[in-house]
Amino acid sequence: MADQLDKGRLLKSLQAQHLFLEVALEQLAPPAMLIPVSPSLWTVKDIIAHVNVWDRRGTGWLADAAAGKTPAIPLPGKTWNDLDALNAATYEEHKDRSLTEVLAEFEALFPPLVRLVESISEERLAQTITYHTGEREETIPVARLVRWRYRHYLTHGEQIRTWLKNALS
């Protein structure tokens, strides 16, 4: 079953997606990271700030799950229906930060995430947890929380790939 991936494969997938983003970001000059392709799109800086915020939240969810607690997913008092509002709040919170600061945070957040995943036992990864989405109760394997991280990288990696194509052409 797809959710029954072992820890080694989970870490490898997570690291591959993070490495892709690091390499892609190195290819973009700072001005290209700040000028949107279209007014409706975030800049690369915005996307990376967004990834940082959600990685911090995701690491908290994983830490709770590893400790046998119920993760506060998506956030206390929020539902997945509030996602646009959460993303808009993330944008507002980080729009005045420097690109250097946002990139440094991106680099700093990944090693603790990897250490956390490495510390979770295979047995715990296979166990299911119950959490509340704000709308209903869900039950998922702990391993799926890890998979959420690299799926998030995949999603935003596609956006950054588009930026690279436009910025380097």
Side-chain angles (χ1 to χ4, degrees), residues 7-58:
K7 183 166 40 177
R9 287 178 61 196
L10 287 168
L11 282 166
K12 197 173 187 179
S13 296
L14 190 63
Q15 289 167 328
Q17 292 311 314
H18 185 82
L19 180 62
F20 161 75
L21 286 181
E22 281 188 327
V23 170
L25 292 172
E26 285 173 10
Q27 294 178 54
L28 285 169
M33 293 176 144
L34 299 172
I35 302 165
V37 175
S38 137
S40 64
L41 295 177
W42 285 1
T43 66
V44 172
K45 184 191 91 166
D46 300 331
I47 293 167
I48 293 301
H50 167 87
V51 168
N52 290 345
V53 168
W54 284 91
D55 273 358
R56 204 166 34 249
R57 289 171 183 154

